[in-house]
Amino acid sequence: MRTERKGLFVSPLSFARLPVSQDFQHADIAILGLPFDCGSHPTRLGARLGPNAIREQSVLSLELIEDAHNDPLQRQTVIDAGDVNFSGGGLSAIGEFYARTEHAITTILDNNCTPVSLGGDGAVFLPQIRSVHQKFPDVTVLHFDAHTDCYPLRSNEHFDNATPFTHAANEGVLDIANSVHVGTRAPVNADKSIAFTEQMGYRVLPWTKLAHMPVEQASTLIRSSLEGRPVYLCFDMDFFDPSAAPGVATPTPGGPTTFEGLNLLRAMKGLNIVACDINTVSPPYDINGITAQLAASIVLECVSLIDAR
């Protein structure tokens, strides 16, 4: 439940002016910031700054909700738990960040509260799915992304934002055959990465396959392996075309518009969503905060999907 603005003092920045709390036992949903990026991209850094950028823009998203009956924050008890206690990033620190994040997600889930996290780059997925798997051993993943984040490892110690789904498959922390990557593409083609991801056992639905389908047909195809199973929803903001979401780590042309992407996400209503993350907002490249504002809208849509379970 969103708190009204009363009294002289308020808490610092929180998502949609939600109460800042770690009382997970009395909350339905907890927003959690994951301020980490690998710092390995050759030119575009800064996704570690994403959580607070999304929080800042969430106030605008809040003002756009006209009907209180359709406000998911009013139908659920939602809190902002703050950030995982970690500052910075870099591959040398990824192990410590993973340990802290896994512990934080487990703490939320152990209190029967649903985590909705704000990244951070795509690397934030792995510690979260490890934790979710402990509570839901048959968890599947619905991954909206221009990339599969499932690329060959240089070694077993190769952890970065390009390999979390590779490690997740190798560790057996998800139902790989029923998990699906949605929106995959590349500037020329993504055949090589798609082939490797499918070889690992995942389903891949490239955007070129979905773009010309009616949303009902596309959603049926996506949902076919997810119905009746616990679902972790992983949403990378570069799923959208760069014209709609320029402030991401790896903008990839040829993606969906906001209208197409939001409608497809809303068509996931009824799935058993047990955790979500919204990642890869990179504020240094975000013109007028439009990517962070769209990400805040995605958070609200995810809360609505959880509410509709």
Side-chain angles (χ1 to χ4, degrees), residues 208-269:
T208 51
K209 182 173 184 176
L210 300 175
H212 302 292
M213 290 183 182
V215 67
E216 295 82 4
Q217 182 181 356
S219 64
T220 298
L221 188 60
I222 294 168
R223 296 169 64 110
S224 62
S225 64
L226 303 171
E227 300 278 5
R229 296 177 171 86
V231 178
Y232 178 123
L233 198 164
C234 178
F235 201 107
D236 188 312
M237 289 301 296
D238 68 27
F239 170 72
F240 291 104
D241 189 81
S243 60
V248 296
T250 312
T252 307
T257 64
T258 55
F259 179 79
E260 293 168 326
L262 287 170
N263 277 345
L264 194 58
L265 180 59
R266 289 166 184 158
M268 300 302 110
K269 183 177 180 180

Side-chain angles (χ1 to χ4, degrees), residues 4 18 46 52 65 104 127 140 146 165 178 211 276 285 297:
E4 297 181 12
L18 291 167
N52 277 350
I65 300 175
T140 58
F165 279 85
N178 290 302
C276 300
Y285 302 94
S297 297

Side-chain angles (χ1 to χ4, degrees), residues 196-219:
F196 179 79
T197 304
E198 290 179 332
Q199 179 184 330
M200 292 291 293
Y202 291 104
R203 281 204 306 142
V204 182
L205 297 175
W207 182 243
T208 51
K209 182 173 184 176
L210 300 175
H212 302 292
M213 290 183 182
V215 67
E216 295 82 4
Q217 182 181 356
S219 64

Side-chain angles (χ1 to χ4, degrees), residues 50-66:
N52 277 350
I54 298 171
R55 289 185 174 107
E56 180 181 358
Q57 294 299 326
S58 69
V59 179
L60 175 58
S61 295
L62 191 62
E63 300 301 330
L64 297 177
I65 300 175
E66 298 180 354

